[in-house]
Amino acid sequence: MRSATGPLLSIDLDEQTAETESIDDVLDAFVGGRGVGTKLAYDRVPFDADPLGSENRLTFAAGPLQTARTSFTGRMNCTGLSPLTDGILSSNAGGFLSRNAVATGYSAVEIAGESDELLIVHVSDTGVGFEPVPELAGAAVSAVSEHVVGRGLDASHVACIGPAGENLVRFASIMTSESRTFGRGGLGAVLGSKNVKAITFSGDSAPETEFPAVASDIHRDAAESDHVMKRQGTASLTEFASQVGALPTHYYSELEFEGSDGISGDRVEEKKFRKGTCSACAFACKLPTRDEASGLETEGPEFETVMAFGSNCGIDEITSVMKSNDLCDELGMDTISCGATVAAYLESEDAFGDAELVHALVEKIARREGMGDVLAEGIDRIHDELGVENWSSKGMPFAAHDGRALNGQGLAFATSNRGADHLYGGLYTYEYPLVEKSEALDPEGMAGKPEKLVASENHNALLDSAICCKFSRTVLTDKRLATLLDAEYERLLETGARIVALERRFNNERGFDRSDDDLPYELPGFEDALDEYYRLRDWNPDGTVP
């Protein structure tokens, strides 16, 4: 089985030192990316560590596919304890960072300890540098990119935080290429707790790897595809999701939005002014957008952001959503969690549709000013204070593709080790459906859902370790993936299952069990489906791993 190559670089912020060690056994067993990050965290982070304490570690890891020049491979993984969910969490970002990280010659870079002063850590194939940057305290993401230009780098070499990360907002992001995001779960706050403003990656030591001809076939098919995402990104789903009653609206109280046309994929496409992509990818589904009237430029919004700052906040105007998206990118926050938290406040104040208030709250959250200091803690911790329902699972606010309409996705939200995230299990693709009719599932009920969910979670864990974009599903068949990774597909799924189980076991050690695999609404057959899910995974009936 093909895996990432190179040693682990472990950086000690307390002593400002770095050392390397071989992790070939970990790479062989867990491929790269999320798998390697999870195994290293399991072995090296104390089970009782505080996510915002010095014992937590952040691990950046690429996968074997980042040495291939083929589409859908411009991604990189980051793993650590989440200050939002209190469990282990992996997040991956697109853009151009991963190729620069691979060029350092390391398979993974681990950040441990805590600095006494605000730093940029420079990682290259010639060593590690520690640059004090007190002048960047409170700086926005674009300012960090401007700062590193003087060192011969640019935004594609940088993983950084904005004010939200420094202020330990529990859903702060780590940003790269200014608008690409290690989004869900608050890993930006972990970097902030370590007093690290940014990490840069550079070098000329990428391993030379030969891939089979299928890599070229994937790249060609990505280039020739006429998929709607090339024009509208995931925002193309907005009106459809509303029509089938799966679009969270007015802080999850409704599932259809009468203003969906104003925030639809068509509206996003009207604002798109050029093509955008990730490293080496011919699919080019990114969305550089511009509002001519105001001069606002951003990237996106994608569907989840459209839901979070559009329908869920009662906003039916795409330029307002674009501004919310841009603010989150500049300040360094996950748009889904931030939008959901803002929507919770709008619910408490009966203020849905107030775009100016939405934008003001985003800034206040990032800087922990006034009510923003409360909202920065996230819905799970503040819903009682606001007097609203707790629309989160394991502390993470729900993404779109609502489980009340797509019941299998509801089960997927509940079982996800990183909380209510749509990409962990991803059953919504089968229930809309966004796949061939032969693969489709009835959105109602739980028939056949546990078995499909187990397979989907295992497959996604493998993709996050390889690392390959989830949007590759129309091009990257199971057979092609197996060929790229030089292994039987069933063996790859077994690897994915091991990763999911290791995450679950880590969370078990932190007190997670069946009671955390919950939803704020009832679904028919849910408890029986959960029993079946545990049985299929050979886990205990209480949701723990033997």
Side-chain angles (χ1 to χ4, degrees), residues 103-145:
T104 65
Y106 304 110
S107 62
V109 175
E110 175 189 72
I111 310 297
E114 180 180 335
S115 171
D116 291 331
E117 56 186 343
L118 191 65
L119 293 176
I120 293 181
V121 179
H122 298 285
V123 177
S124 75
D125 53 357
T126 60
V128 177
F130 300 89
E131 177 191 2
V133 286
E135 70 275 20
L136 290 181
V141 169
S142 60
V144 180
S145 298

mmCIF file of all heavy atoms in Angstrom, residues 103-145:
data_model
loop_
_atom_site.group_PDB
_atom_site.id
_atom_site.type_symbol
_atom_site.label_atom_id
_atom_site.label_comp_id
_atom_site.label_asym_id
_atom_site.label_seq_id
_atom_site.Cartn_x
_atom_site.Cartn_y
_atom_site.Cartn_z
ATOM 1 N N ALA A 103 7.427 19.633 0.046
ATOM 2 C CA ALA A 103 8.753 20.071 -0.400
ATOM 3 C C ALA A 103 9.741 20.215 0.748
ATOM 4 O O ALA A 103 10.952 20.315 0.518
ATOM 5 C CB ALA A 103 8.642 21.384 -1.169
ATOM 6 N N THR A 104 9.270 20.229 2.004
ATOM 7 C CA THR A 104 10.193 20.288 3.143
ATOM 8 C C THR A 104 10.881 18.948 3.369
ATOM 9 O O THR A 104 11.886 18.869 4.081
ATOM 10 C CB THR A 104 9.450 20.668 4.437
ATOM 11 O OG1 THR A 104 8.518 19.637 4.780
ATOM 12 C CG2 THR A 104 8.718 21.996 4.287
ATOM 13 N N GLY A 105 10.300 17.874 2.814
ATOM 14 C CA GLY A 105 10.877 16.548 2.988
ATOM 15 C C GLY A 105 10.315 15.779 4.169
ATOM 16 O O GLY A 105 10.659 14.607 4.359
ATOM 17 N N TYR A 106 9.442 16.404 4.952
ATOM 18 C CA TYR A 106 8.853 15.735 6.117
ATOM 19 C C TYR A 106 7.476 15.176 5.753
ATOM 20 O O TYR A 106 6.731 15.778 4.987
ATOM 21 C CB TYR A 106 8.710 16.706 7.286
ATOM 22 C CG TYR A 106 10.004 17.367 7.685
ATOM 23 C CD1 TYR A 106 10.229 18.718 7.445
ATOM 24 C CD2 TYR A 106 11.020 16.627 8.293
ATOM 25 C CE1 TYR A 106 11.417 19.331 7.796
ATOM 26 C CE2 TYR A 106 12.222 17.222 8.643
ATOM 27 C CZ TYR A 106 12.422 18.579 8.399
ATOM 28 O OH TYR A 106 13.604 19.173 8.736
ATOM 29 N N SER A 107 7.142 14.042 6.352
ATOM 30 C CA SER A 107 5.802 13.502 6.145
ATOM 31 C C SER A 107 4.780 14.162 7.062
ATOM 32 O O SER A 107 3.594 14.229 6.732
ATOM 33 C CB SER A 107 5.800 11.991 6.399
ATOM 34 O OG SER A 107 6.153 11.702 7.748
ATOM 35 N N ALA A 108 5.240 14.649 8.213
ATOM 36 C CA ALA A 108 4.360 15.299 9.184
ATOM 37 C C ALA A 108 5.175 16.286 10.006
ATOM 38 O O ALA A 108 6.384 16.075 10.237
ATOM 39 C CB ALA A 108 3.699 14.269 10.091
ATOM 40 N N VAL A 109 4.506 17.341 10.445
ATOM 41 C CA VAL A 109 5.131 18.358 11.300
ATOM 42 C C VAL A 109 4.250 18.535 12.524
ATOM 43 O O VAL A 109 3.072 18.875 12.404
ATOM 44 C CB VAL A 109 5.310 19.693 10.563
ATOM 45 C CG1 VAL A 109 5.852 20.760 11.505
ATOM 46 C CG2 VAL A 109 6.230 19.523 9.357
ATOM 47 N N GLU A 110 4.832 18.314 13.697
ATOM 48 C CA GLU A 110 4.093 18.370 14.954
ATOM 49 C C GLU A 110 4.501 19.611 15.751
ATOM 50 O O GLU A 110 5.688 19.895 15.893
ATOM 51 C CB GLU A 110 4.409 17.101 15.754
ATOM 52 C CG GLU A 110 3.821 17.048 17.146
ATOM 53 C CD GLU A 110 4.369 15.872 17.924
ATOM 54 O OE1 GLU A 110 5.564 15.908 18.322
ATOM 55 O OE2 GLU A 110 3.610 14.914 18.125
ATOM 56 N N ILE A 111 3.494 20.331 16.247
ATOM 57 C CA ILE A 111 3.729 21.534 17.044
ATOM 58 C C ILE A 111 3.369 21.221 18.484
ATOM 59 O O ILE A 111 2.205 20.922 18.797
ATOM 60 C CB ILE A 111 2.885 22.724 16.545
ATOM 61 C CG1 ILE A 111 3.032 22.896 15.028
ATOM 62 C CG2 ILE A 111 3.276 24.001 17.276
ATOM 63 C CD1 ILE A 111 4.416 23.229 14.558
ATOM 64 N N ALA A 112 4.351 21.279 19.390
ATOM 65 C CA ALA A 112 4.142 20.934 20.793
ATOM 66 C C ALA A 112 4.562 22.099 21.692
ATOM 67 O O ALA A 112 5.381 22.933 21.316
ATOM 68 C CB ALA A 112 4.947 19.687 21.151
ATOM 69 N N GLY A 113 3.984 22.125 22.892
ATOM 70 C CA GLY A 113 4.357 23.141 23.862
ATOM 71 C C GLY A 113 3.662 24.464 23.643
ATOM 72 O O GLY A 113 2.622 24.546 22.981
ATOM 73 N N GLU A 114 4.251 25.524 24.164
ATOM 74 C CA GLU A 114 3.639 26.855 24.106
ATOM 75 C C GLU A 114 4.729 27.917 24.165
ATOM 76 O O GLU A 114 5.619 27.865 25.028
ATOM 77 C CB GLU A 114 2.674 27.027 25.278
ATOM 78 C CG GLU A 114 1.962 28.358 25.334
ATOM 79 C CD GLU A 114 1.024 28.461 26.520
ATOM 80 O OE1 GLU A 114 0.565 27.397 27.020
ATOM 81 O OE2 GLU A 114 0.754 29.595 26.961
ATOM 82 N N SER A 115 4.677 28.864 23.262
ATOM 83 C CA SER A 115 5.677 29.928 23.204
ATOM 84 C C SER A 115 5.334 31.056 24.187
ATOM 85 O O SER A 115 4.164 31.328 24.449
ATOM 86 C CB SER A 115 5.767 30.491 21.789
ATOM 87 O OG SER A 115 6.574 31.649 21.743
ATOM 88 N N ASP A 116 6.373 31.716 24.703
ATOM 89 C CA ASP A 116 6.171 32.879 25.582
ATOM 90 C C ASP A 116 5.881 34.136 24.787
ATOM 91 O O ASP A 116 5.404 35.131 25.355
ATOM 92 C CB ASP A 116 7.418 33.113 26.446
ATOM 93 C CG ASP A 116 7.617 32.013 27.475
ATOM 94 O OD1 ASP A 116 6.610 31.432 27.906
ATOM 95 O OD2 ASP A 116 8.781 31.751 27.842
ATOM 96 N N GLU A 117 6.169 34.143 23.495
ATOM 97 C CA GLU A 117 5.958 35.315 22.659
ATOM 98 C C GLU A 117 5.324 34.892 21.344
ATOM 99 O O GLU A 117 5.430 33.740 20.925
ATOM 100 C CB GLU A 117 7.283 36.041 22.398
ATOM 101 C CG GLU A 117 8.350 35.154 21.773
ATOM 102 C CD GLU A 117 9.697 35.836 21.638
ATOM 103 O OE1 GLU A 117 9.753 37.071 21.727
ATOM 104 O OE2 GLU A 117 10.699 35.122 21.431
ATOM 105 N N LEU A 118 4.643 35.828 20.692
ATOM 106 C CA LEU A 118 3.979 35.535 19.433
ATOM 107 C C LEU A 118 5.020 35.249 18.354
ATOM 108 O O LEU A 118 5.927 36.043 18.135
ATOM 109 C CB LEU A 118 3.092 36.712 19.020
ATOM 110 C CG LEU A 118 2.132 36.469 17.857
ATOM 111 C CD1 LEU A 118 1.086 35.418 18.238
ATOM 112 C CD2 LEU A 118 1.427 37.772 17.455
ATOM 113 N N LEU A 119 4.857 34.095 17.687
ATOM 114 C CA LEU A 119 5.868 33.630 16.741
ATOM 115 C C LEU A 119 5.278 33.311 15.379
ATOM 116 O O LEU A 119 4.104 32.978 15.251
ATOM 117 C CB LEU A 119 6.515 32.335 17.244
ATOM 118 C CG LEU A 119 7.373 32.324 18.491
ATOM 119 C CD1 LEU A 119 7.789 30.893 18.787
ATOM 120 C CD2 LEU A 119 8.595 33.214 18.319
ATOM 121 N N ILE A 120 6.144 33.387 14.348
ATOM 122 C CA ILE A 120 5.965 32.624 13.123
ATOM 123 C C ILE A 120 7.038 31.556 13.121
ATOM 124 O O ILE A 120 8.219 31.835 13.355
ATOM 125 C CB ILE A 120 6.091 33.497 11.860
ATOM 126 C CG1 ILE A 120 4.930 34.484 11.770
ATOM 127 C CG2 ILE A 120 6.111 32.621 10.610
ATOM 128 C CD1 ILE A 120 4.977 35.374 10.539
ATOM 129 N N VAL A 121 6.626 30.305 12.910
ATOM 130 C CA VAL A 121 7.564 29.193 12.826
ATOM 131 C C VAL A 121 7.804 28.886 11.352
ATOM 132 O O VAL A 121 6.855 28.592 10.613
ATOM 133 C CB VAL A 121 7.019 27.947 13.551
ATOM 134 C CG1 VAL A 121 8.010 26.799 13.436
ATOM 135 C CG2 VAL A 121 6.725 28.261 15.008
ATOM 136 N N HIS A 122 9.049 28.965 10.936
ATOM 137 C CA HIS A 122 9.407 28.731 9.534
ATOM 138 C C HIS A 122 10.017 27.339 9.395
ATOM 139 O O HIS A 122 11.072 27.050 9.962
ATOM 140 C CB HIS A 122 10.403 29.785 9.048
ATOM 141 C CG HIS A 122 9.867 31.187 9.073
ATOM 142 N ND1 HIS A 122 8.969 31.646 8.146
ATOM 143 C CD2 HIS A 122 10.100 32.220 9.927
ATOM 144 C CE1 HIS A 122 8.670 32.919 8.415
ATOM 145 N NE2 HIS A 122 9.340 33.287 9.488
ATOM 146 N N VAL A 123 9.346 26.467 8.650
ATOM 147 C CA VAL A 123 9.799 25.093 8.442
ATOM 148 C C VAL A 123 10.290 24.964 7.006
ATOM 149 O O VAL A 123 9.550 25.252 6.055
ATOM 150 C CB VAL A 123 8.651 24.093 8.688
ATOM 151 C CG1 VAL A 123 9.129 22.670 8.400
ATOM 152 C CG2 VAL A 123 8.129 24.211 10.110
ATOM 153 N N SER A 124 11.525 24.530 6.843
ATOM 154 C CA SER A 124 12.065 24.306 5.501
ATOM 155 C C SER A 124 12.915 23.046 5.508
ATOM 156 O O SER A 124 13.156 22.445 6.564
ATOM 157 C CB SER A 124 12.901 25.506 5.038
ATOM 158 O OG SER A 124 14.151 25.516 5.697
ATOM 159 N N ASP A 125 13.385 22.659 4.343
ATOM 160 C CA ASP A 125 14.224 21.472 4.253
ATOM 161 C C ASP A 125 15.642 21.722 4.762
ATOM 162 O O ASP A 125 16.467 20.803 4.802
ATOM 163 C CB ASP A 125 14.249 20.925 2.829
ATOM 164 C CG ASP A 125 14.637 21.968 1.798
ATOM 165 O OD1 ASP A 125 14.836 23.146 2.170
ATOM 166 O OD2 ASP A 125 14.721 21.609 0.600
ATOM 167 N N THR A 126 15.936 22.961 5.177
ATOM 168 C CA THR A 126 17.255 23.275 5.737
ATOM 169 C C THR A 126 17.200 23.547 7.232
ATOM 170 O O THR A 126 18.228 23.820 7.850
ATOM 171 C CB THR A 126 17.876 24.494 5.020
ATOM 172 O OG1 THR A 126 17.012 25.630 5.175
ATOM 173 C CG2 THR A 126 18.071 24.207 3.535
ATOM 174 N N GLY A 127 16.010 23.502 7.828
ATOM 175 C CA GLY A 127 15.925 23.741 9.257
ATOM 176 C C GLY A 127 14.648 24.433 9.663
ATOM 177 O O GLY A 127 13.736 24.649 8.852
ATOM 178 N N VAL A 128 14.550 24.797 10.949
ATOM 179 C CA VAL A 128 13.385 25.461 11.523
ATOM 180 C C VAL A 128 13.813 26.787 12.122
ATOM 181 O O VAL A 128 14.807 26.855 12.864
ATOM 182 C CB VAL A 128 12.729 24.581 12.611
ATOM 183 C CG1 VAL A 128 11.548 25.307 13.261
ATOM 184 C CG2 VAL A 128 12.280 23.243 12.029
ATOM 185 N N GLY A 129 13.068 27.844 11.794
ATOM 186 C CA GLY A 129 13.346 29.160 12.349
ATOM 187 C C GLY A 129 12.180 29.671 13.172
ATOM 188 O O GLY A 129 11.019 29.366 12.881
ATOM 189 N N PHE A 130 12.486 30.431 14.213
ATOM 190 C CA PHE A 130 11.466 30.994 15.093
ATOM 191 C C PHE A 130 11.565 32.521 15.023
ATOM 192 O O PHE A 130 12.556 33.109 15.448
ATOM 193 C CB PHE A 130 11.677 30.520 16.528
ATOM 194 C CG PHE A 130 11.613 29.023 16.681
ATOM 195 C CD1 PHE A 130 12.771 28.250 16.538
ATOM 196 C CD2 PHE A 130 10.422 28.391 16.948
ATOM 197 C CE1 PHE A 130 12.722 26.867 16.673
ATOM 198 C CE2 PHE A 130 10.358 27.002 17.087
ATOM 199 C CZ PHE A 130 11.518 26.238 16.944
ATOM 200 N N GLU A 131 10.534 33.154 14.468
ATOM 201 C CA GLU A 131 10.548 34.604 14.253
ATOM 202 C C GLU A 131 9.536 35.280 15.179
ATOM 203 O O GLU A 131 8.326 35.122 15.000
ATOM 204 C CB GLU A 131 10.200 34.930 12.800
ATOM 205 C CG GLU A 131 10.134 36.424 12.519
ATOM 206 C CD GLU A 131 9.533 36.754 11.155
ATOM 207 O OE1 GLU A 131 9.133 35.819 10.424
ATOM 208 O OE2 GLU A 131 9.453 37.963 10.836
ATOM 209 N N PRO A 132 9.991 36.044 16.173
ATOM 210 C CA PRO A 132 9.051 36.804 17.006
ATOM 211 C C PRO A 132 8.334 37.859 16.149
ATOM 212 O O PRO A 132 8.972 38.569 15.366
ATOM 213 C CB PRO A 132 9.951 37.463 18.049
ATOM 214 C CG PRO A 132 11.224 36.671 18.028
ATOM 215 C CD PRO A 132 11.380 36.213 16.613
ATOM 216 N N VAL A 133 7.003 37.938 16.304
ATOM 217 C CA VAL A 133 6.234 38.887 15.484
ATOM 218 C C VAL A 133 5.224 39.643 16.356
ATOM 219 O O VAL A 133 4.020 39.588 16.118
ATOM 220 C CB VAL A 133 5.515 38.177 14.318
ATOM 221 C CG1 VAL A 133 6.487 37.787 13.223
ATOM 222 C CG2 VAL A 133 4.744 36.956 14.808
ATOM 223 N N PRO A 134 5.682 40.376 17.365
ATOM 224 C CA PRO A 134 4.741 41.114 18.212
ATOM 225 C C PRO A 134 3.915 42.113 17.417
ATOM 226 O O PRO A 134 2.781 42.438 17.791
ATOM 227 C CB PRO A 134 5.650 41.804 19.233
ATOM 228 C CG PRO A 134 6.997 41.865 18.571
ATOM 229 C CD PRO A 134 7.083 40.620 17.760
ATOM 230 N N GLU A 135 4.467 42.588 16.296
ATOM 231 C CA GLU A 135 3.762 43.573 15.472
ATOM 232 C C GLU A 135 2.553 42.977 14.766
ATOM 233 O O GLU A 135 1.693 43.709 14.264
ATOM 234 C CB GLU A 135 4.714 44.192 14.446
ATOM 235 C CG GLU A 135 5.174 43.265 13.325
ATOM 236 C CD GLU A 135 6.374 42.394 13.678
ATOM 237 O OE1 GLU A 135 6.641 42.213 14.885
ATOM 238 O OE2 GLU A 135 7.051 41.911 12.741
ATOM 239 N N LEU A 136 2.450 41.637 14.725
ATOM 240 C CA LEU A 136 1.312 40.990 14.070
ATOM 241 C C LEU A 136 0.199 40.624 15.053
ATOM 242 O O LEU A 136 -0.787 39.989 14.653
ATOM 243 C CB LEU A 136 1.769 39.739 13.321
ATOM 244 C CG LEU A 136 2.618 39.967 12.065
ATOM 245 C CD1 LEU A 136 2.976 38.622 11.418
ATOM 246 C CD2 LEU A 136 1.877 40.848 11.046
ATOM 247 N N ALA A 137 0.332 41.003 16.293
ATOM 248 C CA ALA A 137 -0.726 40.726 17.268
ATOM 249 C C ALA A 137 -2.032 41.375 16.806
ATOM 250 O O ALA A 137 -2.074 42.576 16.524
ATOM 251 C CB ALA A 137 -0.337 41.250 18.647
ATOM 252 N N GLY A 138 -3.084 40.569 16.700
ATOM 253 C CA GLY A 138 -4.381 41.075 16.262
ATOM 254 C C GLY A 138 -4.509 41.259 14.763
ATOM 255 O O GLY A 138 -5.544 41.707 14.277
ATOM 256 N N ALA A 139 -3.472 40.889 14.002
ATOM 257 C CA ALA A 139 -3.489 41.111 12.556
ATOM 258 C C ALA A 139 -4.443 40.150 11.859
ATOM 259 O O ALA A 139 -4.615 39.004 12.256
ATOM 260 C CB ALA A 139 -2.086 40.959 11.979
ATOM 261 N N ALA A 140 -5.053 40.639 10.787
ATOM 262 C CA ALA A 140 -5.917 39.804 9.958
ATOM 263 C C ALA A 140 -5.066 38.885 9.088
ATOM 264 O O ALA A 140 -3.842 39.055 8.957
ATOM 265 C CB ALA A 140 -6.822 40.673 9.097
ATOM 266 N N VAL A 141 -5.715 37.920 8.474
ATOM 267 C CA VAL A 141 -5.025 36.891 7.708
ATOM 268 C C VAL A 141 -4.227 37.475 6.548
ATOM 269 O O VAL A 141 -3.078 37.083 6.301
ATOM 270 C CB VAL A 141 -6.043 35.846 7.211
ATOM 271 C CG1 VAL A 141 -5.425 34.902 6.190
ATOM 272 C CG2 VAL A 141 -6.609 35.061 8.398
ATOM 273 N N SER A 142 -4.807 38.420 5.818
ATOM 274 C CA SER A 142 -4.093 38.992 4.670
ATOM 275 C C SER A 142 -2.821 39.712 5.094
ATOM 276 O O SER A 142 -1.834 39.724 4.350
ATOM 277 C CB SER A 142 -5.009 39.943 3.899
ATOM 278 O OG SER A 142 -5.458 41.008 4.726
ATOM 279 N N ALA A 143 -2.814 40.293 6.289
ATOM 280 C CA ALA A 143 -1.625 40.995 6.779
ATOM 281 C C ALA A 143 -0.482 40.019 7.052
ATOM 282 O O ALA A 143 0.693 40.366 6.877
ATOM 283 C CB ALA A 143 -1.959 41.772 8.040
ATOM 284 N N VAL A 144 -0.820 38.802 7.469
ATOM 285 C CA VAL A 144 0.218 37.791 7.687
ATOM 286 C C VAL A 144 0.860 37.414 6.353
ATOM 287 O O VAL A 144 2.083 37.280 6.253
ATOM 288 C CB VAL A 144 -0.363 36.545 8.382
ATOM 289 C CG1 VAL A 144 0.733 35.514 8.607
ATOM 290 C CG2 VAL A 144 -1.020 36.921 9.700
ATOM 291 N N SER A 145 0.030 37.267 5.327
ATOM 292 C CA SER A 145 0.558 36.965 3.990
ATOM 293 C C SER A 145 1.481 38.072 3.512
ATOM 294 O O SER A 145 2.553 37.812 2.939
ATOM 295 C CB SER A 145 -0.594 36.764 3.003
ATOM 296 O OG SER A 145 -1.395 35.670 3.371
#
